[in-house]
Amino acid sequence: MGREAVTVARPSARARRERNAGLAFISPWIFGFLVFTAWPIIYSAYLSLTDYDVLTDPSFVGLENYERMVQDPQVSLALWNTLQYTLLQVPLYVLVALALALLLHQAGRASGFFRTAFFVPKMTPPVAVGVLLLLLFNGEYGLVNEALGALGIDGPSWTTDPDWIKPGLALVSLWSVGAAVVILLAALQDVPVELYDAARVDGAGWWRRTRTVTLPMISGALFFVTVVNTIAAFQMFTEAYSAYFGAGNSTYANDAALFYVIYLFREGFAELHMGYASALAWLLFVVIMLVTAVQLLVSRRLVYYEGEQR
């Protein structure tokens, strides 16, 4: 049996030029990724195995930093606070964004103005949002409690009562809900009108159309918003730090506001335990990766992508 000649088609000169041009265009991103992302990740993995105070050279200590994390009560406290905040903030954020997007979808031509109005607060610096938290949710003279008082409701001490710290932070996070609203509105506008017409012919009301047509068709956008916001919630830092830990602020509510990244920051840049802070960062990376993996597994049953075979 004779051997068959196998020929491998080589890329043409034009294809090579286009490939090289593409690589040249993305080379700034590749350089930035390698220098400012990939290398810090690799170096932090090394630092997590060392005792490093920034002022002296790192000394290798093996897994001591990870053993210390297991015994550190502040780590479990910070993780628990962060998990509580995430479970509270993410569903609230997504539901409010979806509700606003549904309203804007019915606004017609006026949706352009409101879309911009909802997105503009997203541009507010996070430090200012932390200050806004103290002004709006102050238990004595805050605008939120004054509004509740006008309705005959005695508002809680949002900024000092440990039980209300995380709900207050979750509510103030809605200040930047505009970005998610824009994403969900774009998904809503992409839903084929024919599906709604068919549902109306079948006698489906608004709620049934929303449940059986709208939500499945925008499930990809909902999933994206949920995953991105979950990762952001696990990294909650600036708003809580500026409100409860900045400028020498110290209250008995600080333990309730001690989120994981705040503890990581204090260990790394206040105490100069950079090796331990690197280990803390890798633990957070693993936690976020596991949570995202679970979300991806769940999405296989709940998320619909157009053209997908099932």
Side-chain angles (χ1 to χ4, degrees), residues 49-70:
L49 303 175
T50 66
D51 180 15
Y52 180 47
D53 62 2
V54 181
L55 303 177
T56 58
D57 293 334
S59 60
F60 187 79
V61 295
L63 299 177
E64 286 186 12
N65 289 324
Y66 294 95
E67 294 173 356
R68 176 184 169 186
M69 280 195 302
V70 176

Side-chain angles (χ1 to χ4, degrees), residues 8-185:
V8 179
R10 295 184 178 181
S12 64
R14 179 178 179 180
R16 289 196 299 270
R17 287 196 301 270
E18 291 179 350
R19 181 192 61 192
N20 294 335
L23 290 174
F25 274 112
I26 67 172
S27 59
W29 178 88
I30 295 175
F31 175 80
F33 173 78
L34 293 175
V35 174
F36 299 109
T37 302
W39 170 243
I41 290 175
I42 296 171
Y43 192 60
S44 70
Y46 162 71
L47 288 181
S48 70
L49 303 175
T50 66
D51 180 15
Y52 180 47
D53 62 2
V54 181
L55 303 177
T56 58
D57 293 334
S59 60
F60 187 79
V61 295
L63 299 177
E64 286 186 12
N65 289 324
Y66 294 95
E67 294 173 356
R68 176 184 169 186
M69 280 195 302
V70 176
Q71 303 171 0
D72 190 348
Q74 293 291 87
V75 172
S76 58
L77 172 63
L79 273 176
W80 176 237
N81 285 338
T82 303
L83 180 61
Q84 284 183 295
Y85 171 77
T86 301
L87 292 175
L88 180 64
Q89 190 265 350
V90 174
L92 177 64
Y93 188 94
V94 174
L95 286 175
V96 171
L98 177 60
L100 292 175
L102 288 170
L103 288 174
L104 285 182
H105 189 50
Q106 303 298 324
R109 295 181 178 179
S111 65
F113 168 77
F114 289 106
R115 183 170 62 241
T116 303
F118 284 142
F119 185 80
V120 166
K122 177 69 176 177
M123 310 304 292
T124 306
V127 174
V129 177
V131 176
L132 185 68
L133 166 69
L134 297 178
L135 294 176
L136 292 179
F137 290 87
N138 186 282
E140 296 180 1
Y141 54 82
L143 184 61
V144 172
N145 276 5
E146 288 187 3
L148 292 175
L151 298 175
I153 301 174
D154 187 14
S157 300
W158 299 92
T159 58
T160 55
D161 187 345
D163 293 334
W164 289 97
I165 293 293
K166 286 176 278 292
L169 285 167
L171 287 174
V172 83
S173 73
L174 299 179
W175 180 261
S176 60
V177 76
V181 172
V182 171
I183 294 172
L184 295 178
L185 179 60

Side-chain angles (χ1 to χ4, degrees), residues 158-228:
W158 299 92
T159 58
T160 55
D161 187 345
D163 293 334
W164 289 97
I165 293 293
K166 286 176 278 292
L169 285 167
L171 287 174
V172 83
S173 73
L174 299 179
W175 180 261
S176 60
V177 76
V181 172
V182 171
I183 294 172
L184 295 178
L185 179 60
L188 286 170
Q189 292 174 340
D190 199 40
V191 178
V193 179
E194 294 81 5
L195 296 178
Y196 292 116
D197 294 337
R200 290 190 184 94
V201 171
D202 291 339
W206 178 86
W207 170 245
R208 187 177 176 185
R209 292 197 305 272
T210 301
R211 183 171 55 87
T212 60
V213 177
T214 304
L215 293 181
M217 292 302 295
I218 68 169
S219 57
L222 280 171
F223 176 65
F224 172 79
V225 169
T226 301
V227 170
V228 169

Side-chain angles (χ1 to χ4, degrees), residues 272-294:
L272 295 183
H273 299 156
M274 194 61 69
Y276 186 51
S278 297
L280 290 171
W282 272 94
L283 175 61
L284 180 61
F285 170 76
V286 171
V287 170
I288 292 177
M289 182 176 64
L290 291 176
V291 171
T292 305
V294 171

